[in-house]
Amino acid sequence: MSVVVSGVGAALPATAVENDAFADLGVSDAWILDRTGVRRRYHLQPGERLVELAAAAATQALDDAGIGASDVDFVVAATSTPDRLSPGLAPVIGHLIGAGSPGAVDVNGACTGFLYALDYAVSRVSHGSADRVLVVGADAMSRPVLFGDGAGAVLVEAQRGAVCDACVPFLSFGSAAEYADALYVDHDDKAVRMDGAQVYASAVEAMTDEIESALATHDITQDDVDLLVCHQANSRILKAVVRQLGFSPERAASYVDQFGNTSAASIPLALRKAQDDGRLKRGHTVVLGAFGAGFTWGAGVIGWKACRHA
């Protein structure tokens, strides 16, 4: 048995916010674009719920996989901005999509959260405790200028009839809490506070090292990789990671200009966009990387919709 991502979905709020909307804050379109690569992001409006975006992304992922909601065994939601402190997003997502009574849990790993949730899903499927696990990354981070709101989802399931240890997704993680004050959100005002220079340097180094380690552990060369998808924080970080890894820019997903930084939603949003653009196809090998508050980081290798050796 191998474990694959069999479907992907994405959802964005209806309201697009261009850089010009922040002119009153003393930052221009050119300033934001030069420093972050962001042209627009999408914001939830008062009364709109993040969980509804998450459910829409989840439904799209199931449709993409050709799987009914009643066949989902477990829902894992990566978020640091749930609509309520409790309950979390995951059980409500399961209810909204009509999944019955699946196991459900939220994971708060900031911008690395989607990879932690994906790792949990892979573990359950590979150990036989679940056949299909829905993994959702969703965040509403629209308070700061650089961030946007959105949701993305993938379905992880067993692919039976093919015994291939190399195609069980491999993910690894790290953390450095001594830098916690360089990127954090307080309970009181929910604003993101960041030491931009420290975050940039640490993100580039950590993602580069972790991705290189994942490739070496999985005995995969760059020629085996069809697409590199890192957390869409900003274009400078993405370009630096691609450059240090030695990848060609054409083999790296970069959609931060269209969505902004959507935290835990950014990787699945990029995966769906890459599939829609024809850059991600059945049997492809995908390398993932993420970095977020904590500091936390992670990287991994997944097969897209089929065992890459099939």
Side-chain angles (χ1 to χ4, degrees):
M1 180 186 75
S2 57
V3 182
V4 298
V5 171
S6 59
V8 61
L12 294 165
T15 303
V17 180
E18 306 293 333
N19 288 341
D20 290 340
F22 302 103
D24 290 345
L25 300 179
V27 289
S28 66
D29 170 61
W31 188 94
I32 296 173
L33 186 60
D34 177 63
R35 287 159 178 78
T36 70
V38 178
R39 295 181 183 276
R40 73 182 60 85
R41 74 289 294 144
Y42 294 81
H43 287 178
L44 290 167
Q45 298 303 297
E48 295 179 339
R49 298 192 301 164
L50 178 63
V51 73
E52 290 164 351
L53 272 188
T59 297
Q60 191 179 87
L62 292 174
D63 290 344
D64 188 44
I67 298 296
S70 60
D71 292 322
V72 173
D73 302 308
F74 212 101
V75 179
V76 190
T79 184
S80 50
T81 58
D83 295 313
R84 293 175 172 175
L85 183 61
S86 181
L89 292 184
V92 186
I93 292 169
H95 171 71
L96 290 178
I97 67 174
S101 303
V105 67
D106 280 15
V107 174
N108 182 352
C111 298
T112 315
F114 178 77
L115 292 192
Y116 279 109
L118 181 62
D119 186 62
Y120 182 85
V122 169
S123 296
R124 292 195 66 89
V125 174
S126 61
H127 293 142
S129 59
D131 284 331
R132 296 183 181 92
V133 180
L134 191 59
V135 182
V136 182
D139 267 314
M141 299 288 290
S142 54
R143 184 184 297 269
V145 173
L146 302 184
F147 292 85
D149 306 337
V154 299
L155 183 67
V156 176
E157 63 176 317
Q159 186 179 62
R160 304 192 184 279
V163 179
C164 181
D165 291 339
C167 287
V168 174
F170 171 86
L171 295 108
S172 59
F173 301 90
S175 67
E178 62 267 29
Y179 295 110
D181 287 342
L183 178 58
Y184 67 95
V185 179
D186 267 339
H187 279 293
D188 296 334
D189 58 11
K190 302 298 190 296
V192 175
R193 291 178 170 83
M194 176 170 55
D195 178 339
Q198 182 65 66
V199 170
Y200 173 88
S202 297
V204 172
E205 179 182 10
M207 281 197 287
T208 299
D209 290 349
E210 201 68 30
I211 289 170
E212 289 179 336
S213 176
L215 291 173
T217 300
H218 227 50
D219 195 25
I220 288 177
T221 68
Q222 287 193 18
D223 291 339
D224 297 320
V225 177
D226 297 291
L227 191 66
L228 171 67
V229 182
C230 290
H231 165 54
Q232 308 284 292
N234 71 55
S235 60
R236 288 185 172 182
I237 290 175
L238 292 173
K239 290 176 181 177
V241 171
V242 171
R243 184 170 58 249
Q244 291 204 19
L245 288 171
F247 274 76
S248 64
E250 294 75 21
R251 286 198 292 158
S254 180
Y255 299 110
V256 69
D257 62 322
Q258 300 178 43
F259 307 135
N261 184 340
T262 55
S263 192
S266 78
I267 288 179
L269 278 171
L271 289 169
R272 177 68 196 202
K273 179 63 175 172
Q275 178 175 276
D276 289 345
D277 288 347
R279 302 177 65 192
L280 190 51
K281 300 177 181 179
R282 182 179 179 86
H284 275 184
T285 296
V286 185
V287 172
L288 307 175
F291 180 90
F295 289 154
T296 63
W297 59 84
V301 181
I302 63 172
W304 194 254
K305 297 192 174 182
C307 170
R308 62 189 171 93
H309 299 300

